[in-house]
Amino acid sequence: MLVAILSLGAIGAVFGIILGFAGKKFAVAVDPRVEALLQIMPGANCGACGLPGCAAFAEAIVAGSVKPSDCAPGGATLYEQIAAIMGTEVSAYEERKVAQLLCQGGYGRTRMLYRYEGIKDCRAALANFKGPKACDFGCVMQGSCFKVCPFGAIEMGADGLPVIDYYRCTACNKCVVECPQQILKLIGVSHLVTVRCLNTEKGKDAKANCSVACIKCKICEKNCPEDAVHVVAAGEGSVAVIDVEKCTNCGICAAKCPTKSIDMISPLSEEVVLEIGTTPDAGCQACGVCKTE
Amino acid sequence: MQEYVIIIISAVLVNNIVLSQFLGICPFLGVSKKLSASLGMSGAVSFVLIIASFITWVLQTYLLTPLNITYLQTIAFILVIASLVQFVEIVIKKFSPPMYKALGIFLPLITTNCAVLGVAIINIQNEYSLGKVMVHSLSHAAGFTIALLLMSGIRERLEDADIPESMRGTPIALIVAALMSISFLGFSGLT
Amino acid sequence: MNLKNEFTKGIVRENPLFRLLLGMCPALAVTTSVNNGLGMGVAVTGVLLASNIVVSSMRKIIPPGVRIPAFIVIIATFVTITDMLMHAFTPALYTSLGIFIPLIVVNCIILGRAESFASRNTLLPSVIDALGMGIGFTLALVVVSAVREVLGAGTFFGLQLLPENIPALIMILPPGGFIALGCLLGLMNKFQKKTA
Amino acid sequence: MKRATFKGGIHLDGHKELTSNLPTVVAPVPDRVYIPLSQHIGAPCVPLVVAGDEVKKGQKIGMAKAFVSAPIHASVSGKVIGIEVMEHPGGSFVPCIIIENDHQETWAETVQPAADPAALTPEELCAILLEAGIVGQGGATFPTHVKYAPVEGKKIDTVILNGVECEPYLTADHRLMLERAERIVAGLGYMLRSISCTQGVIAIEENKMDAVAVMKKAVAGQPNLRVVVLKDKYPQGSEKQLIYACTGKELPVGELPLSVGVIVNNVGTAAAFADAVELGIPLIERYVTVSGPGICHPANYLVRIGTLFSELIKASGGCCGEVEKIIAGGPMMGNTVFSDELPVVKGTSGIVLLHKEPHRAQKEYPCVRCAKCIDACPAFLEPTSLARLAKRSAWEEAEKSDVMSCIECSSCVYACPAQIPLIQYIRRAKQAILAAKAR
Amino acid sequence: MIPQKDLIVVTSAPHLHSPDNVPTAMRDVLIALTPALLAALYFFRLPALLVILVCVISAYAAEIVCLKIMKRESPTRESSAIITGLLLAFCLPPSLPLWMAVLGTLFAIVVAKHLFGGLGQNIFNPALIGRAFLLASFPVAMTNWTNPLDGLTTASPLGIMKEAGGEVLPPLGEIFLGSVSGSIGETSALALLLGGAYLLYRRQIDWRIPGTFLGTVFLLTAVIGGIKGEGLWYPVYHLCAGGLLLGAFFMATDWVTSPVTKLGRILFGIGCGLLVVLIRTKGGYPEGVAYSILLMNVVTPLLDRYTKARVFGRVKSHA
């Protein structure tokens, strides 16, 4: 009995001393805050912050080079947690945004120039005469956005256009960056009225190619009680644009638009909107896949 | 000499530590997604395995057996291994940052790697001499390395495979291990 | 804290083997018969319970710096005790489990629970957690070993179920362990997907 | 005799018999020509004329200030009626100068033969190349004068004229060599002189032995020029592969032929150079093969730049059968276009109309790792691995696997039994890597 | 606006494709297997026919069911499952209970192929996995050989060689023609050589794998035979006996599970050869072709990775 206690104690002591000594002697400083931050990050490594993954973001937070709110999928809860670790105040209120598609020209609505055969990639399709659609501003319908979405929030609809599940969208920005036509945009969920066309061609040309194009008729402009929508110069032509500051979501322009290129939707139901700024349930499911590697 | 050859062949091929003894399954499944990572892991495991085998043998032969306290084997061995891992980690971190970068994240995982403790215990059970202990642990390290490298090679290829959703990740890795294990059955009876 | 929830999570939702993928080595190695699987499960549960109790009650005394070594010593102690008990009372099981009894020490479930649960919670939840996890693990082992024993030896708890020449020997050979666990995990995933 | 060639590549059914024995026909000069402002690699031209201007044949109507660019010329005399964006055989939309032909064929005053071609200095020769708007006639349309601009410290020892024409169906170069051999040799002479190079090589594949005979006769008596007969294999006409086949030199990755002392030009380019020097005529017409199973009477034409495809197809008796694809250029590297209302440009070596391939299934099969693409790749890449990387957007890994060394010859896709559009994936990866570099 | 029909197709070059496609390749393999099939039916008669039928039918059925479950494209145009079933049947003993053959086929198709994602994605040769699975599961039934001449149960030639027991080795001529005991499709060296030659002629397989595989076995066994004092018959016997030719021409050359690089293929063949000789002479089994190929399948991803060709124009030191 005594032997056991003594020898085990001795072994323990010897190794304890060695380790204690080594720990002192060879110490390398690591900021514990980085570790702590990494624990609470969504771990999607989506890159929406512009940094290569959550670990880099945590380091950047400690270094002070990014704001907590730069992490779009995180949401308010995360910002609070970060603030708690870093000992700072929670940054300003940010509205939840979702990615929306600014094109309605699916099959049957937009004239096609040819039948595209080849890989499902928008840029590859664009290499041939700016895509199979006669309109050069719209969705190419090859699903590059669908492929990059890390949250499974995008699916390709029957009309060839991507359909975004706004509840799943975390505004990580990946599809927005990926889209070669730049027709995906992060829009705050409280903005209900949107011009869903970026075609800057003359009204006649636009109409010839697509039944849901902005034809620069200015009806929206004339009918807007708040002076919030204007056909403004863009590219080599012009297109209708809504000033979100002035827009009151009355929906008159959407109702009057002859081609229905302006539409009004509420991307999220009311109770979800009430919790604006929270991480959507369907986003990071903390499956840990991203952390294992 | 013959004995040593048999130990080597048996440890590396016939009774491969992972594929037929089921030791070190966690890193085998967990760290085999990328070849580079598995190189690091097998390096770290081999390193600790060999040193730990040596120290535990010395401990057993000169302390536990003479004092007649062999029932403390498990505690003593795990203490040795845990301290060793931590010690190695501290030392590498200090003296070879690149090596720490490569091996560092794997080192803490090794404490709870049954391969190390398992081999140490098998060494004692088989009543090997020091020479055989070293050969034995070296061959098991080699067996582990080979299994891990082959596994990661396969899994890198599987990255592009269209595996059914529910089989992705660990399930398919286990199936690969199963089929590897079936292939290694070919070595059974090898003398 | 909902104790019932703490208990059931280990059995289904966070089953250590099927969901958390912990304790793979014994799950593959000793599951050649239901007997072995059950014995292993019980042994692990015992150690888990004891170590959770000790860790939970000592959690305020142990300094965080030496947490892991301290846990390991605690666990190793209980493993050694289990080892001796099994040697004394279940010699047959002791022989067939062999090296995997001392290896309970490095079973990630025990250290994992000590680290992530017992060291942060009071005694009662830790006990419940240990029981839940232990039973979950035992059940998982029984399932895996049942599959292997029935298919590989044609028996269940030693009872002959299938005629002599039917069983596929491979299931109780090493590959069988991988196959059984891999397929069960796959099925689990599929099941999980549907219910989710 | 074992003919020289390169490693890798594929054997194709050339289908050249459709047109190889048909003497070139002068295509009817259309009532309107459409001359795109960009017919070359490099900066597009700025138009020098506006709607309503009278232009003469050979008059310069557009040019750019950039070094890598080539001017464009009116191919008929007449009146400019406008500049409109049109479909371009290269797969884009480009503004075109539209000229109403007055059928007077009045030459511009600038079209003057050199007084004494033998006395021209290298600089003057280079200036003629630029002024005549000569670009690579093989299809790449790289401005030729850029190749001949002297580079400090680099010495060219060989000029290779590419008469390989490894694309199926095309016979324009073949006919050119048969019909205008002496022009080609003369052009080669000017090329050599403009960079004071001694050796000229004319490379021809063994499936054109009649052209070999004619060219051999044309170079007889000039010991510094020789005709090299190469094995019949695709993509022999690719610059890197041709240099290897002719000289055994392997062009290092990312380097120009210049670095191994070689310039490669198409035979048509040489002929155009000779015309520009000796007659003063800029590049306003070229040889075009109109062929393929979708054409009733395949033929070789001498065509004014700016003639619509539809005119040539009409001249060939129109389409026959169910045409699935219209290809500008050869079927291995040419672009599909979506209508026939687009003009012949300087790089249009052929128009090929294809039916649906009977052995092509609707969908691609999974890759079965047969490695036929790897065997076919003349750049020794692993197309299937690259495509896999591209499929999951692993651009960095793809770059490490040398995806940028791909010459886009499409041999891999031809060989692939699983019908995977490997080259599209590879191109996508290259595009992404270039975009990342630009950023 | 309605979508216009009959639009011209616009796509990326090339616009011509080789007439070779996956189905024609499968057809070629089936043609190449015909001589061995005929030989098997001639020597082993009804039992062989039954095993073959059962394997092929269950393979095809399993394939269809798997594809249905996973909602993938119909395979009707490919015969890969049929080939797998046929190859598996070829390496089973004719006396095998049919339900075992079904079990092995199911394991081959479901576990070795479809769990990995189906055609082109498997790491291991499915037929060989099926055989190894059966051998490990039912060792007795899998090593119960009947002699086609007298219908009696005898050891296989390699088994006799290994055990050096009382039985006499059948003469080389019988081994070459195939009238010896062994698996259904592996006994007739002649038929397999014909099939292999056809595949080589059609360029469906690369000579490198069978060449280096057989070459290695021949050289090693010649050396061993030399040491033992046996004559030239010894290596030739090793080449023709057992499943070596079947493995070398039809299984080691499986596109999916062998390396894609030329050097990789050479190493693959040599590795197979080494392992076969190792298992045959030193291992616990009389025959090692299946295991050797499976083991090399395991190594294939690494071989591919480390034997990439030097890219055209890359300076040698860089590659």
Side-chain angles (χ1 to χ4, degrees):
Chain A
M1 186 65 188
L2 194 65
V3 182
I5 297 174
L6 281 183
S7 48
L8 202 58
I11 297 172
V14 170
F15 283 107
I17 291 167
I18 294 177
L19 279 183
F21 177 73
K24 269 247 159 60
K25 191 81 180 169
F26 307 132
V28 178
V30 176
D31 197 326
R33 290 181 296 175
V34 175
E35 298 265 315
L37 285 174
L38 202 50
Q39 294 288 321
I40 58 164
M41 296 305 297
N45 287 327
C46 64
C49 50
L51 293 166
C54 295
F57 185 77
E59 278 174 28
I61 286 269
V62 173
S65 57
V66 290
K67 297 193 301 292
S69 57
D70 287 347
C71 177
T77 346
L78 177 74
Y79 310 153
E80 277 166 27
Q81 285 173 327
I82 294 178
I85 290 169
M86 298 299 297
T88 52
E89 289 295 305
V90 183
S91 59
Y93 161 88
E94 297 227 2
E95 185 190 8
R96 176 161 164 199
K97 291 178 173 178
V98 291
Q100 297 196 19
L101 180 68
L102 303 185
C103 174
Q104 304 183 90
Y107 293 121
R109 288 179 156 178
T110 310
R111 189 167 68 88
M112 306 298 282
L113 292 177
Y114 56 85
R115 212 165 78 222
Y116 170 75
E117 271 181 14
I119 63 170
K120 291 265 169 218
D121 182 282
C122 297
R123 281 186 175 78
L126 278 174
N128 302 303
F129 302 104
K130 296 188 187 169
K133 269 192 198 172
C135 168
D136 292 342
F137 302 86
C139 176
V140 199
M141 309 196 286
Q142 299 302 317
S144 286
C145 49
F146 152 75
K147 265 204 316 212
V148 296
C149 180
F151 301 100
I154 302 181
E155 268 177 39
M156 299 310 288
D159 63 349
L161 297 177
V163 180
I164 300 165
D165 181 341
Y166 299 122
Y167 289 92
R168 286 180 163 235
C169 177
T170 62
C172 74
N173 213 30
K174 275 207 157 176
C175 54
V176 179
V177 173
E178 179 67 20
C179 179
Q181 297 289 76
Q182 298 171 349
I183 43 152
L184 283 159
K185 208 177 155 193
L186 293 184
I187 296 178
V189 288
S190 62
H191 305 305
L192 308 183
V193 186
T194 316
V195 183
R196 290 192 197 278
C197 181
L198 297 181
N199 189 328
T200 61
E201 288 172 326
K202 286 187 195 116
K204 197 181 88 194
D205 297 344
K207 195 172 183 179
N209 288 334
C210 177
S211 63
V212 284
C214 169
I215 52 169
K216 291 85 195 169
C217 61
K218 299 202 177 183
I219 292 176
C220 51
E221 202 172 311
K222 284 165 206 149
N223 284 289
C224 182
E226 306 290 333
D227 192 32
V229 55
H230 293 278
V231 174
V232 298
E236 286 169 7
S238 59
V239 72
V241 172
I242 293 176
D243 182 345
V244 291
E245 299 292 318
K246 290 185 186 164
C247 176
T248 59
N249 292 329
C250 68
I252 293 175
C253 54
K256 297 272 181 189
C257 178
T259 59
K260 296 286 167 254
S261 66
I262 302 183
D263 86 338
M264 181 165 173
I265 55 156
S266 353
L268 301 180
S269 66
E270 212 161 297
E271 57 265 38
V272 181
V273 179
L274 286 177
E275 304 170 43
I276 278 169
T278 57
T279 311
D281 303 335
C284 175
Q285 294 169 332
C287 61
V289 168
C290 51
K291 280 186 180 164
T292 46
E293 198 46 48
Chain B
M1 197 57 222
Q2 187 77 25
E3 283 180 328
Y4 286 93
V5 173
I6 289 175
I7 289 179
I8 294 174
I9 289 181
S10 154
V12 176
L13 301 177
V14 184
N15 294 316
N16 186 286
I17 185 166
V18 181
L19 295 173
S20 77
Q21 310 234 36
F22 301 114
L23 296 175
I25 297 290
C26 296
F28 178 66
L29 294 177
V31 199
S32 56
K33 280 187 197 140
K34 280 265 172 287
L35 194 63
S36 48
S38 65
L39 268 173
M41 187 68 194
S42 50
V45 168
S46 304
F47 189 68
V48 175
L49 180 65
I50 292 164
I51 297 182
S53 290
F54 174 73
I55 298 183
T56 52
W57 186 84
V58 170
L59 200 67
Q60 175 82 20
T61 323
Y62 295 107
L63 194 70
L64 300 184
T65 318
L67 289 179
N68 208 12
I69 45 167
T70 43
Y71 58 86
L72 287 181
Q73 195 193 40
T74 314
I75 306 184
F77 281 14
I78 194 72
L79 262 180
V80 169
I81 293 167
S83 321
L84 186 67
V85 168
Q86 204 146 7
F87 182 74
V88 169
E89 189 184 351
I90 294 171
V91 171
I92 293 183
K93 200 172 188 175
K94 181 71 183 176
F95 293 109
S96 173
M99 195 165 154
Y100 180 72
K101 268 222 155 111
L103 301 185
I105 46 166
F106 308 119
L107 282 168
L109 298 177
I110 296 173
T111 313
T112 52
N113 181 343
C114 39
V116 180
L117 183 60
V119 171
I121 295 177
I122 295 175
N123 281 335
I124 307 300
Q125 274 182 353
N126 290 359
E127 295 173 355
Y128 281 146
S129 65
L130 184 59
K132 281 186 190 161
V133 163
M134 294 321 286
V135 170
H136 182 247
S137 52
L138 204 74
S139 338
H140 268 312
F144 181 79
T145 308
I146 289 173
L148 196 56
L149 289 188
L150 293 174
M151 184 69 174
S152 60
I154 291 176
R155 285 186 84 178
E156 280 200 355
R157 213 185 106 183
L158 287 181
E159 209 174 319
D160 294 310
D162 194 9
I163 296 164
E165 193 74 42
S166 51
M167 289 305 289
R168 289 201 190 145
T170 313
I172 196 68
L174 281 167
I175 297 293
V176 171
L179 301 187
M180 276 170 81
S181 180
I182 291 183
S183 316
F184 269 68
L185 282 181
F187 289 123
S188 61
L190 200 64
T191 44
Chain C
M1 192 169 290
N2 185 348
L3 289 180
K4 192 177 159 215
N5 195 28
E6 290 301 332
F7 182 71
T8 54
K9 72 161 193 258
I11 295 176
V12 185
R13 213 174 55 251
E14 287 181 32
N15 186 295
L17 183 59
F18 290 138
R19 309 291 336 154
L20 305 181
L21 306 177
L22 295 174
M24 291 280 213
C25 303
L28 291 165
V30 304
T31 48
T32 47
S33 74
V34 185
N35 243 335
N36 288 355
L38 189 62
M40 190 67 189
V42 172
V44 169
T45 311
V47 175
L48 183 57
L49 184 62
S51 66
N52 255 19
I53 292 174
V54 176
V55 167
S56 172
S57 41
M58 288 175 66
R59 69 183 191 282
K60 296 205 174 108
I61 312 168
I62 302 172
V66 295
R67 207 175 59 231
I68 303 266
F71 291 169
I72 288 184
V73 172
I74 294 170
I75 296 167
T77 310
F78 287 117
V79 170
T80 309
I81 294 171
T82 313
D83 188 285
M84 292 164 170
L85 285 176
M86 290 178 80
H87 200 168
F89 295 108
T90 55
L93 190 61
Y94 180 81
T95 330
S96 59
L97 293 184
I99 190 181
F100 283 91
I101 299 176
L103 285 182
I104 295 176
V105 150
V106 283
N107 190 322
C108 323
I109 299 175
I110 299 170
L111 189 63
R113 291 330 286 176
E115 165 89 342
S116 67
F117 198 91
S119 66
R120 298 175 190 182
N121 287 295
T122 50
L123 193 57
L124 188 59
S126 301
V127 170
I128 300 290
D129 177 71
L131 281 176
M133 284 290 165
I135 291 172
F137 185 62
T138 311
L139 278 179
L141 287 192
V142 168
V143 170
V144 175
S145 52
V147 169
R148 288 183 68 185
E149 192 183 335
V150 170
L151 294 181
T155 57
F156 184 72
F157 273 117
L159 280 165
Q160 197 75 32
L161 284 186
L162 302 174
E164 199 83 351
N165 63 338
I166 295 264
L169 194 58
I170 197 169
M171 289 309 287
I172 51 172
L173 293 176
F178 288 114
I179 295 172
L181 192 54
C183 291
L184 283 172
L185 277 181
L187 285 177
M188 282 297 223
N189 283 349
K190 206 168 177 88
F191 182 68
Q192 187 83 2
K193 261 237 136 66
K194 268 185 193 150
T195 53
Chain D
M1 188 177 81
K2 195 161 170 7
R3 314 250 191 234
T5 187
F6 63 101
K7 290 180 195 147
I10 48 177
H11 298 276
L12 289 172
D13 187 355
H15 298 291
K16 306 233 181 205
E17 68 290 344
L18 288 175
T19 49
S20 59
N21 292 321
L22 303 177
T24 309
V25 182
V26 175
V29 181
D31 293 334
R32 267 186 196 177
V33 291
Y34 303 79
I35 300 178
L37 285 174
S38 178
Q39 303 184 34
H40 50 263
I41 289 178
C45 291
V46 177
L48 300 175
V49 290
V50 291
D53 283 4
E54 291 286 338
V55 291
K56 289 176 182 157
K57 194 176 163 191
Q59 180 183 337
K60 189 151 75 173
I61 53 174
M63 69 175 294
K65 288 224 169 65
F67 176 60
V68 182
S69 183
I72 53 172
H73 302 81
S75 55
V76 294
S77 59
K79 190 169 155 192
V80 176
I81 55 170
I83 300 177
E84 262 177 44
V85 173
M86 283 184 68
E87 189 186 351
H88 184 280
S92 55
F93 294 97
V94 169
C96 297
I97 296 173
I98 305 172
I99 302 169
E100 183 86 54
N101 190 357
D102 61 8
H103 293 284
Q104 297 303 308
E105 303 284 322
T106 21
W107 285 101
E109 302 74 34
T110 47
V111 176
Q112 292 294 337
D116 180 9
L120 290 170
T121 63
E123 290 75 33
E124 285 168 329
L125 283 167
C126 213
I128 291 175
L129 271 177
L130 170 61
E131 276 305 304
I134 294 175
V135 300
Q137 300 272 281
T141 65
F142 190 76
T144 308
H145 71 95
V146 178
K147 284 188 184 174
Y148 285 88
V151 174
E152 206 64 44
K154 298 277 184 186
K155 179 83 185 89
I156 304 293
D157 52 43
T158 314
V159 171
I160 301 175
L161 280 194
N162 183 350
V164 167
E165 201 165 49
C166 55
E167 280 269 11
Y169 292 107
L170 302 192
T171 52
D173 287 349
H174 186 184
R175 291 313 304 176
L176 182 84
M177 286 189 285
L178 288 176
E179 292 164 20
R180 306 188 66 194
E182 77 300 336
R183 305 301 300 163
I184 295 170
V185 174
L188 178 57
Y190 295 122
M191 283 170 170
L192 294 178
R193 260 183 50 211
S194 69
I195 43 164
S196 10
C197 166
T198 48
Q199 258 203 84
V201 174
I202 300 166
I204 304 171
E205 275 187 355
E206 61 192 346
N207 58 356
K208 294 181 266 291
M209 289 316 283
D210 49 348
V212 171
V214 172
M215 290 312 294
K216 274 200 170 143
K217 217 167 116 199
V219 296
Q222 298 191 56
N224 59 332
L225 305 183
R226 64 197 164 92
V227 175
V228 176
V229 185
L230 302 174
K231 236 169 121 172
D232 176 17
K233 203 158 83 170
Y234 179 86
Q236 193 116 250
S238 158
E239 203 165 61
K240 291 180 180 185
Q241 276 57 44
L242 188 61
I243 293 173
Y244 182 82
C246 293
T247 67
K249 287 176 189 163
E250 203 168 296
L251 195 54
V253 169
E255 297 273 354
L256 294 172
L258 199 65
S259 67
V260 290
V262 176
I263 289 180
V264 180
N265 274 125
N266 188 268
V267 283
T269 314
F273 194 10
D275 285 348
V277 173
E278 291 170 8
L279 307 171
I281 301 175
L283 185 56
I284 55 166
E285 56 185 5
R286 65 155 300 143
Y287 277 59
V288 177
T289 305
V290 179
S291 184
I295 284 287
C296 281
H297 305 295
N300 299 298
Y301 294 104
L302 181 60
V303 182
R304 296 287 168 87
I305 304 289
T307 307
L308 290 182
F309 280 25
S310 52
E311 311 249 4
L312 295 180
I313 293 172
K314 202 167 75 196
S316 301
C319 303
C320 67
E322 200 174 312
V323 174
E324 190 194 47
K325 289 173 182 171
I326 304 174
I327 299 156
M332 291 302 288
M333 291 189 76
N335 282 308
T336 38
V337 294
F338 62 82
S339 77
D340 55 3
E341 297 293 312
L342 77 173
V344 168
V345 294
K346 291 175 185 173
T348 308
S349 46
I351 300 169
V352 179
L353 269 61
L354 292 183
H355 294 157
K356 190 167 169 44
E357 284 180 85
H359 54 265
R360 289 281 283 176
Q362 277 300 312
K363 259 197 99 163
E364 63 184 69
Y365 298 90
C367 170
V368 288
R369 295 167 38 89
C370 64
K372 288 190 174 171
C373 56
I374 298 174
D375 295 342
C377 182
F380 315 153
L381 298 168
E382 288 182 9
T384 172
S385 317
L386 297 175
R388 268 196 208 120
L389 292 174
K391 227 177 209 169
R392 60 174 151 99
S393 309
W395 310 134
E396 275 168 35
E397 274 178 75
E399 193 179 359
K400 271 190 213 132
S401 309
D402 265 312
V403 69
M404 298 310 274
S405 294
C406 171
I407 57 167
E408 300 186 22
C409 67
S410 298
S411 300
C412 50
V413 189
Y414 177 87
C416 180
Q419 312 185 343
I420 302 169
L422 298 158
I423 196 73
Q424 265 195 306
Y425 287 110
I426 291 174
R427 240 181 246 149
R428 177 69 188 90
K430 288 170 90 170
Q431 190 188 15
I433 291 165
L434 288 178
K437 283 220 175 101
R439 230 184 289 131
Chain E
M1 222 173 287
I2 19 159
Q4 302 99 318
K5 280 179 191 147
D6 305 326
L7 286 173
I8 288 257
V9 170
V10 167
T11 181
S12 230
H15 310 293
L16 291 181
H17 302 83
S18 151
D20 280 342
N21 53 26
V22 175
T24 58
M26 301 285 177
R27 197 196 57 210
D28 277 346
V29 176
L30 283 177
I31 293 175
L33 283 171
T34 316
L37 178 69
L38 295 177
L41 293 178
Y42 175 75
F43 288 120
F44 296 110
R45 309 289 158 139
L46 190 62
L49 179 67
L50 287 178
V51 172
I52 291 171
L53 274 182
V54 157
C55 282
V56 168
I57 292 171
S58 54
Y60 196 72
E63 174 91 8
I64 288 178
V65 170
C66 280
L67 290 164
K68 267 266 158 59
I69 290 174
M70 301 201 294
K71 300 187 181 68
R72 304 244 160 106
E73 286 261 304
S74 150
T76 38
R77 270 169 297 134
E78 306 148 8
S79 12
S80 70
I82 294 177
I83 292 175
T84 303
L86 200 53
L87 283 176
L88 176 60
F90 275 15
C91 46
L92 298 177
S95 60
L96 192 77
L98 293 182
W99 68 270
M100 286 186 191
V102 173
L103 193 64
T105 316
L106 290 185
F107 192 82
I109 296 285
V110 177
V111 177
K113 186 176 174 193
H114 281 288
L115 287 189
F116 288 86
L119 182 67
Q121 329 224 32
N122 45 311
I123 302 288
F124 298 87
N125 185 311
L128 288 176
I129 284 289
R131 180 195 142 88
F133 170 82
L134 288 175
L135 185 57
S137 297
F138 313 106
V140 179
M142 280 294 286
T143 46
N144 178 15
W145 313 110
T146 22
N147 190 315
L149 294 182
D150 48 21
L152 295 176
T153 305
T154 47
S156 66
L158 284 170
I160 299 171
M161 215 166 187
K162 181 128 192 166
E163 299 306 325
E167 287 182 76
V168 188
L169 278 174
L172 198 55
E174 283 184 17
I175 295 272
F176 188 70
L177 287 176
S179 59
V180 291
S181 59
S183 298
I184 292 172
E186 67 180 26
T187 55
S188 175
L190 176 67
L192 291 167
L193 281 173
L194 279 176
Y198 177 75
L199 284 185
L200 283 170
Y201 162 74
R202 293 276 301 156
R203 289 173 183 256
Q204 296 295 10
I205 60 173
D206 187 349
W207 63 268
R208 287 177 183 84
I209 292 177
T212 51
F213 192 170
L214 299 175
T216 309
V217 172
F218 183 82
L219 279 180
L220 280 179
T221 48
V223 170
I224 292 171
I227 293 170
K228 279 187 174 171
E230 310 273 8
L232 186 66
W233 72 274
Y234 186 77
V236 176
Y237 207 88
H238 260 288
L239 280 190
C240 298
L244 186 60
L245 290 172
L246 181 66
F249 283 115
F250 293 96
M251 290 162 164
T253 53
D254 174 16
W255 283 344
V256 180
T257 54
S258 61
V260 293
T261 62
K262 295 188 179 82
L263 178 59
R265 286 172 174 172
I266 290 173
L267 295 176
F268 182 89
I270 294 175
C272 285
L274 287 175
L275 287 169
V276 166
V277 177
L278 179 73
I279 295 174
R280 278 187 182 180
T281 55
K282 290 269 167 196
Y285 298 103
E287 172 61 306
V289 172
Y291 286 119
S292 71
I293 298 173
L294 284 175
L295 285 164
M296 289 314 286
N297 286 165
V298 177
V299 189
T300 295
L302 290 185
L303 281 179
D304 271 341
R305 197 185 159 104
Y306 290 112
T307 57
K308 285 198 171 155
R310 180 188 60 87
V311 170
F312 185 88
R314 272 264 175 249
V315 200
K316 280 188 177 94
S317 65
H318 187 279

